[in-house]
Amino acid sequence: VYVDRISAEVSDDFVRQVLEKCGKVSKWNRAADPNTSKLTSFGFCDFEEPQAVWRALEFLHEKQLCEKKLLVKCEEKAKQTIDAWKETRREEIQKSKSLEAKPSDAELLEELQKESESVAKSIATMLETKNKDFPEVKDGEDAKTKEEEEKAAKEALEKEKQNKEAAQAEKKEEKEKEKEEEKEKEK
């Protein structure tokens, strides 16, 4: 999950706490400016469950945090995982309620929101508390246009994906090198 428009007023710990309300975080990395070491306005979060990704998108995207509204996006692969999770939930709801037909998209959304009501309230309370000294941000008041942000989000997600793939390739190379060294020792 890509999280952007994080105010400089917001600590890294606070962002992580909010994300953890969505679900178990396996990794949170807020970028830092290499020259100043100051935290930037964006970061990447890996969740252990698709429900947590759904909650982050549902309960954090376009929500005000200090003087900005958060931008929360995920890559296509995560969207597909969410869709598969939602289908599983749709079937579980149909069985648990003994329905003849699967719930519609609207019924499913309503049920998922109901299941996550306490999470939504908890996040809303955290944001309200943090926002108390800031005026409400109206739509369109952010400096960047939505198109620029969408482009930046896609680029950042793609770069993060490439970095993960490069790290995996590097690990694979190291393992192969170790195997070759083992073979050499055996000779």
Side-chain angles (χ1 to χ4, degrees):
V1 175
Y2 172 76
V3 183
D4 196 359
R5 290 192 237 150
I6 304 169
S7 170
E9 304 285 326
V10 180
S11 73
D12 201 37
D13 286 341
F14 181 83
V15 177
R16 187 178 182 99
Q17 288 171 6
V18 171
L19 291 168
E20 285 175 343
K21 293 288 182 189
C22 297
K24 189 147 175 63
V25 173
S26 55
K27 182 181 173 193
W28 164 244
N29 182 23
R30 185 167 172 189
D33 183 308
N35 300 322
T36 64
S37 297
K38 283 189 175 183
L39 293 172
T40 62
S41 65
F42 69 94
F44 297 92
C45 183
D46 290 342
F47 289 103
E48 291 188 8
E49 299 290 329
Q51 181 181 30
V53 177
W54 177 81
R55 285 174 171 167
L57 295 166
E58 187 73 16
F59 302 131
L60 294 175
H61 181 62
E62 289 295 321
K63 298 297 187 272
Q64 183 171 335
L65 180 54
C66 295
E67 78 283 4
K68 298 181 178 192
K69 284 193 174 185
L70 294 172
L71 173 72
V72 181
K73 296 280 180 188
C74 68
E75 59 190 12
E76 192 58 39
K77 186 177 174 184
K79 287 180 185 174
Q80 292 169 358
T81 303
I82 292 169
D83 289 343
W85 166 76
K86 284 165 74 173
E87 271 313 303
T88 300
R89 288 297 300 129
R90 188 187 310 267
E91 291 167 9
E92 291 169 354
I93 292 165
Q94 179 185 6
K95 284 179 187 173
S96 72
K97 295 189 174 194
S98 302
L99 302 173
E100 287 186 28
K102 290 181 182 175
S104 68
D105 287 347
E107 291 167 331
L108 176 63
L109 179 61
E110 184 181 329
E111 193 65 32
L112 294 176
Q113 287 174 332
K114 204 183 297 178
E115 290 173 358
S116 297
E117 192 174 351
S118 65
V119 171
K121 284 180 180 176
S122 182
I123 290 170
T125 300
M126 288 179 78
L127 296 179
E128 284 171 23
T129 302
K130 196 73 168 171
N131 294 339
K132 71 179 187 310
D133 296 329
F134 293 89
E136 183 182 347
V137 176
K138 305 277 190 248
D139 287 341
E141 286 184 6
D142 293 312
K144 293 181 183 177
T145 67
K146 293 219 184 279
E147 289 164 1
E148 288 172 330
E149 286 177 336
E150 292 289 330
K151 184 180 176 188
K154 282 182 182 177
E155 288 171 358
L157 282 166
E158 186 58 36
K159 187 175 180 180
E160 178 73 0
K161 181 180 172 188
Q162 289 171 352
N163 289 344
K164 283 182 180 179
E165 288 170 353
Q168 288 173 340
E170 197 173 300
K171 282 182 184 177
K172 187 177 178 183
E173 258 182 49
E174 286 175 17
K175 285 182 181 178
E176 287 174 4
K177 194 175 182 179
E178 286 174 10
K179 284 180 184 177
E180 285 179 26
E181 288 173 359
E182 289 291 320
K183 286 179 183 178
E184 287 295 318
K185 285 180 184 177
E186 289 174 6
K187 288 181 184 178

